[in-house]
Structure formats: structure tokens, C-alpha cells
Amino acid sequence: MSLHPAPPTGAATPAAATPNGAAIPNGAATPNDAATPRAATVSGGRRRQAAQRRLVIGILAGITAVLFAVSVLLGTYTVTIPDFFRILGGADIPGATFIVMENKLPRAVIAVLIGVAFGLAGTIFQTMLRNPLASPDIIGISYGASASAVAAIVLFGAAGVAVSLSALIGALAVAAAIYLLSRRGSAAGYRLILVGIGFAAVLHAVVSFLLTRTDIRTASDTLVWLNGSLNSSNWDRATILILALLLLIPAAAVLSRGLRGLELGDDTAASLGIRVEPSRLALITVGVALAAVATAAAGPVAFVAFLAGPIARRLVKGAVSLTAAGLVGAVIVLAADFVAANMIPGVSLPVGVVTGVLGAPFLLWLLVTANRTGQGG
């Protein structure tokens, strides 16, 4: 039972009063009435954007699963789906079991893992520095891993885990040097990118010099690694990658709030309560570690980190999504590796050859369009 009965039918409703006592005619809109539709529109837009992002991520996950299955089941040696599940269940099918469990499956797993790692690393740097050119393979971090690994191979005869560890140390060392040299004023923008490009040129020269000082066989094996290859994939490398990403992916997720703030600029990020330099240093550390562990596993696969972020951003209509970027990276590596392994009968090309063919035109297009629009860091 209502304490305030409704007015009789047909009776005039009393006019509302404003705080200063002036009456508002019946049916007139108040300021709150005007604000409510606007807020509802903004809220609805955000819900639609979130729904679209989830849809894109779901589609990318589905494409990744399909490409993973294609990589394992098809190619120069095909495996039926029933046989694949029998092999997973422990059945020993002569020839097929070895090819699937020791070659195809670890190769596909590592392709997904390095794709995710490169995609996340590239997006972290490009978003934090607000420049699509700021990916690890452009600003010298991948070259740091390469130079360190090549030095370990040529000078000390390293192999396996030792090469991976050398690549990780080299990437971290070069990233630290780039950060310290570009820190004056701010580490963001073109300063860090230009310092990184300078390091890349020097380290490329170091790699070339080391290759001239070794025998032909070692140089040939090293060149395959430098092009980025999944030909020597195995479960040991996959295990190391899985353990590393179990630590680094949650760290990237935790730091994503600071990443979104830094994308708006240092002053805006500071006004939002973000500690700019500590957040930037933490993001650089995580991004470098992601690029380094991927490089250590398969070599510096060209342009994956560079391509994944911009493609993901276009798919989600300008928003930053680390999840989408990681999945785009996985799609690129899986598709490129399948092409590289099956394009020429009897020859398994390094996956970096195919990604390089894809990435070079995209880089030229990006430079041309950035020059036309006057984009800057």
C-alpha cells in the first residue's frame, strides 16, 4: 500500500521546483534527464566494444586451434584424427608415433608459444612507447639475443640450453643499455627507438664478423638459427617456454593497467596515480624477457612482434588487447611455419624467411603512411 496516493485521473500534476524556487513546467527536461541518456549511450558503447573484443578473441582462438591441428595432422606426412588421439592415448603406431610426438607436436606447441611471446612483447613496447616501430626486432633487443647466442656458438662451441641462456642474457643486457642511454628526459618516443636502431646496426656487424671467423658448417647452422627456425624443436625447449610463460604472462596482465596509462603520456599516467618510471621499467623487463625466451627457443623470427600488435589493434577497433595480440602472433607463426615446411617439397625453410616476406612490405607501408600523416612518438 502506497503512502503517497496517485493524483486523481485527469488532475494536473504539480510542477517540479528547482533549488532556487523556480518552477519547471510539466514535461520539461531537467539537467539530470539530459545526462542520463548520454551516460547510457557511453555505457552501451563500452558494452558493445567489450562484446566485440570477446568475439574477436574467440575467433582468433578458433583460428589458432585450426592451424594447430593442420600443422600436426597435415603436411608431408599426414595423420588421421583417430590415429592422432590413439597416439596421445599411448598407442604405438610405427612411424606415426615418432613423427607426431617427437617432431610435429612439439613444433606446433613451440610455434604457438613463441607467437604468443613475440606478440605480447611487441604490443608492450609499441603501446608503452606510442610508436608502431618500437618492437623488439626493430629496436635491437632481438639483435642482442642473436649476437650473444652467436658469440656463444662460435667462440665457445655452445649448444642447446647454453645457447638459449646466452640469448636471454644478451637480450637483457642490450635492453638495459638502451634504457639507460635513452633515459635522459624520458625513455619514451623516438629517443629510445633511435638508440635501439643504433644498437641493432652495431650488433648486426658483430654477428657478421663472428660468422666470418668460424668454419663453414658452424656458420651454416648459425645462419639457420639467425633466420628463425622451428626445425630443431623438441620437448625440452617447449617445457622451458611453458615454464617461462607461466611467469611472464601473469606479470604482463598485472602490468597492463600501467601500460594503458603510459599510452596516454607520462603526465596523464602520473595524474592517474601510476608511478611512471617504475611501471615503465617493469614493462620493459617483462617485454624483453618475453622476446628473449622466444628468441632463445627458435631464433629471432622476423617481424612477428612487429606485426601482431597493429593487426590486433585493427581487429579490435583501436583498443589495446594483449590477449588478441598474443593470439595474432600465434596465428602468424603457425601459418608461416606450415608454409615454410611444405612450400618446397623436400625442403623445410626457416619460419623467419616467410615472416620476413610478410613483414617487410608492412614495414614499408607503415613508414610511408606515417610520413604522410606526420605521426610521431
Side-chain angles (χ1 to χ4, degrees):
M1 179 177 180
S2 173
L3 296 177
H4 302 282
T9 304
T13 305
T18 62
N20 60 10
I24 300 176
N26 293 328
T30 65
N32 287 337
D33 294 331
T36 301
R38 190 179 303 118
T41 301
V42 172
S43 177
R46 289 176 178 173
R47 284 196 297 268
R48 284 193 297 271
Q49 188 178 39
Q52 184 180 32
R53 187 183 298 117
R54 287 193 295 269
L55 176 62
V56 169
I57 290 172
I59 293 173
L60 287 172
I63 295 173
T64 302
V66 170
L67 289 173
F68 185 92
V70 167
S71 298
V72 175
L73 301 178
L74 303 180
T76 55
Y77 187 95
T78 60
V79 180
T80 65
I81 294 176
D83 283 348
F84 174 71
F85 284 106
R86 286 173 59 201
I87 290 169
L88 289 183
D92 185 9
I93 302 175
T97 298
F98 178 82
I99 290 173
V100 170
M101 297 304 296
E102 301 301 327
N103 183 1
K104 287 195 166 195
L105 195 55
R107 183 172 182 143
V109 169
I110 290 178
V112 171
L113 295 176
I114 67 169
V116 169
F118 278 129
L120 292 177
T123 304
I124 286 172
F125 278 96
Q126 289 165 335
T127 304
M128 177 179 61
L129 301 178
R130 293 175 290 162
N131 194 310
L133 294 177
S135 69
D137 44 357
I138 301 294
I139 63 175
I141 293 170
S142 294
Y143 275 104
S146 300
S148 181
V150 171
I153 294 170
V154 173
L155 300 179
F156 304 104
V161 177
V163 175
S164 299
L165 185 60
S166 299
L168 178 60
I169 293 172
L172 292 172
V174 169
I178 293 172
Y179 177 78
L180 292 174
L181 289 175
S182 61
R183 192 182 177 193
R184 189 191 314 169
S186 174
Y190 277 109
R191 183 177 178 83
L192 188 146
I193 296 171
L194 291 175
V195 171
I197 291 174
F199 265 91
V202 172
L203 293 169
H204 179 72
V206 169
V207 169
S208 298
F209 172 76
L210 289 171
L211 290 177
T212 64
R213 308 302 298 174
T214 187
D215 60 89
I216 294 177
R217 182 172 180 176
T218 302
S220 177
D221 293 340
T222 304
L223 281 172
V224 171
W225 187 87
L226 285 172
N227 282 317
S229 176
L230 295 172
N231 294 343
S232 58
S233 299
N234 55 53
W235 287 116
D236 291 338
R237 293 186 183 184
T239 302
I240 293 172
L241 264 176
I242 290 171
L243 293 176
L245 294 184
L246 285 175
L247 295 175
L248 294 173
I249 291 177
V254 170
L255 295 170
S256 62
R257 177 181 176 273
L259 180 64
R260 288 192 293 269
L262 291 173
E263 185 186 19
L264 302 175
D266 290 358
D267 294 337
T268 304
S271 69
L272 294 173
I274 297 171
R275 300 173 63 191
V276 174
E277 283 303 320
S279 295
R280 180 178 290 122
L281 182 58
L283 284 165
I284 287 176
T285 302
V286 171
V288 169
L290 285 164
V293 296
T295 302
V301 183
F303 290 121
V304 178
F306 175 68
L307 291 170
I311 292 174
R313 188 183 282 265
R314 285 180 177 273
L315 291 175
V316 296
K317 305 299 183 183
V320 177
S321 173
L322 292 178
T323 304
L327 289 172
V328 169
V331 168
I332 291 173
V333 177
L334 282 169
D337 184 56
F338 185 78
V339 172
N342 298 282
M343 181 171 60
I344 302 176
V347 178
S348 185
L349 295 174
V351 63
V353 172
V354 178
T355 59
V357 170
L358 293 174
F362 186 84
L363 175 59
L364 293 175
W365 173 81
L366 187 64
L367 290 172
V368 170
T369 55
N371 185 53
R372 287 176 180 170
T373 58
Q375 292 175 355

